[in-house]
Amino acid sequence: MARRERPEPPEPLGASTVDAHTHLDACGCETAEDVAAAMDRAAAVGVTRAITVADDLAAARWAVRAAHWDERVVAAVALHPTRTAAVTDSEFAEIERLAADPRVVAVGETGLDYYWDYSPPEAQQASFRWHIDLAKRLGKPLMIHDREAHADVLRILREEGAPERVIFHCFSGDAAMARECAAAGYVLSFAGPVTFRNSAALREAAVIPDDDHVLVETDAPFLTPHPHRGRANEPYCLPWTVRGLAELRGVPAAELARTTDRNAERIFGLADLPPAGTMTSPDGRAPRSA
């Protein structure tokens, strides 16, 4: 299948920010050089760091390697809820080993997805509970995927006891859910859909979290923001989402960029990481291996 065409770069933001959730491997990156090129494109418009996120075991191994290739990239690893129909103990054990890497800054994306019928709810919920426990044991943020499963996600977080830091990636709830998340101290990360004119409920929710509990993301290569919906997405496309969210929240885009940059640094501990390329990744590969 032909790769979708990337849009021309947006106007630079005028301030630095972080893409809080992207999938560089799914954007076509394979090697250290690919990652560097994608981050160079992002840095040119003000997106100076990115969290590349895994959704299965192979992607988790790659994400950890990528985090050791480039100083601007860190990783999050977990098994996506749609990948949980039949998970072995050895697979969970490897996720745990990978998640312990010091350049892995979150356990994710994990959660529940009732839109796709790839994994039964019972298996998804058991995996979600395991990942919640892992995040607490490692002292790392929990990055949640929640698609058409709001009530069960919130219920399981209450039942298990949420980790100290919880991020709802690509938040998709309405204002009432946003208020419930805000009351619990959860962080809401907004992606391209917040710029879609037909996302009225989401756009109402976008004004609910306070400045300390909001992040921005691409979820690339998916969910390209307006005005390029349907085209290829990549971290350099984030300024369109920043500008759309800033307009909704009534602040300048550069101010929102600085706010979300500061939040990402605090939530993910980005200032306290070891340098990239200084150690072997957990699967035994050298830091710059492809």
Side-chain angles (χ1 to χ4, degrees), residues 2 6 9 34 80 83 100-101 117 133 135 144 163 166 194 200 204 209 255 257 265 280:
R6 291 196 301 255
D34 294 336
H80 191 281
R83 313 282 190 170
D101 186 278
D117 190 24
D133 179 68
I144 292 177
V166 172
V194 80
E204 291 174 2
E255 179 181 329
E265 185 154 311
T280 302

Side-chain angles (χ1 to χ4, degrees), residues 4-13 19 22 24 27 37-47 50 218 220 224-225 228 231-241 243:
R4 293 180 298 167
E5 182 183 357
R6 291 196 301 255
E8 290 296 314
E11 181 183 348
L13 282 168
D19 185 348
T22 191
L24 289 175
C27 292
M39 291 310 300
D40 287 347
R41 288 190 288 273
V45 296
V47 183
T218 58
T224 312
H228 298 290
R231 298 180 72 181
N233 198 9
E234 209 179 87
Y236 81 86
C237 297
L238 187 62
W240 285 304
T241 296
R243 291 189 170 100

Side-chain angles (χ1 to χ4, degrees), residues 42-120:
V45 296
V47 183
T48 56
R49 293 178 287 187
I51 298 161
T52 191
V53 182
D55 64 0
D56 63 17
L57 195 50
R61 295 173 186 136
W62 186 90
V64 175
R65 292 201 297 275
H68 286 278
W69 288 339
D70 195 300
E71 198 69 46
R72 299 167 291 184
V73 175
V74 292
V77 301
L79 296 175
H80 191 281
T82 61
R83 313 282 190 170
T84 58
V87 184
T88 66
D89 289 343
S90 64
E91 289 171 325
F92 278 130
E94 186 169 358
I95 288 291
E96 183 164 351
R97 287 194 299 272
L98 292 165
D101 186 278
R103 289 191 61 83
V104 172
V105 299
V107 173
E109 57 187 285
T110 180
L112 303 176
D113 190 316
Y114 294 167
Y115 177 80
W116 298 108
D117 190 24
Y118 296 139
S119 181

Side-chain angles (χ1 to χ4, degrees), residues 50-245:
I51 298 161
T52 191
V53 182
D55 64 0
D56 63 17
L57 195 50
R61 295 173 186 136
W62 186 90
V64 175
R65 292 201 297 275
H68 286 278
W69 288 339
D70 195 300
E71 198 69 46
R72 299 167 291 184
V73 175
V74 292
V77 301
L79 296 175
H80 191 281
T82 61
R83 313 282 190 170
T84 58
V87 184
T88 66
D89 289 343
S90 64
E91 289 171 325
F92 278 130
E94 186 169 358
I95 288 291
E96 183 164 351
R97 287 194 299 272
L98 292 165
D101 186 278
R103 289 191 61 83
V104 172
V105 299
V107 173
E109 57 187 285
T110 180
L112 303 176
D113 190 316
Y114 294 167
Y115 177 80
W116 298 108
D117 190 24
Y118 296 139
S119 181
E122 296 78 13
Q124 293 188 45
Q125 292 179 23
S127 176
F128 185 30
R129 292 177 192 275
W130 182 87
H131 283 92
I132 291 171
D133 179 68
L134 177 63
K136 290 193 286 189
R137 286 189 284 113
L138 293 177
K140 296 188 177 184
L142 183 74
M143 183 181 285
I144 292 177
H145 172 102
D146 166 28
R147 189 167 189 188
E148 298 189 5
H150 305 326
D152 279 356
V153 166
L154 292 171
R155 172 180 59 81
I156 290 171
L157 285 170
R158 290 192 298 269
E159 290 173 356
E160 294 296 317
E164 181 180 352
R165 292 163 291 171
V166 172
I167 303 108
F168 274 78
H169 126 73
C170 191
F171 182 76
S172 59
D174 59 11
M177 183 180 176
R179 282 190 286 269
E180 185 168 352
C181 289
Y186 302 152
V187 176
L188 306 188
S189 184
F190 292 94
V194 80
T195 70
F196 300 166
R197 302 305 177 190
N198 62 349
S199 297
L202 176 60
R203 289 161 66 83
E204 291 174 2
V207 304
I208 300 297
D210 64 33
D211 285 348
D212 289 337
H213 291 82
V214 63
L215 292 169
V216 285
E217 63 172 86
T218 58
D219 198 19
F222 316 106
L223 303 177
T224 312
H226 177 82
H228 298 290
R229 187 175 183 179
R231 298 180 72 181
N233 198 9
E234 209 179 87
Y236 81 86
C237 297
L238 187 62
W240 285 304
T241 296
V242 173
R243 291 189 170 100
L245 181 59

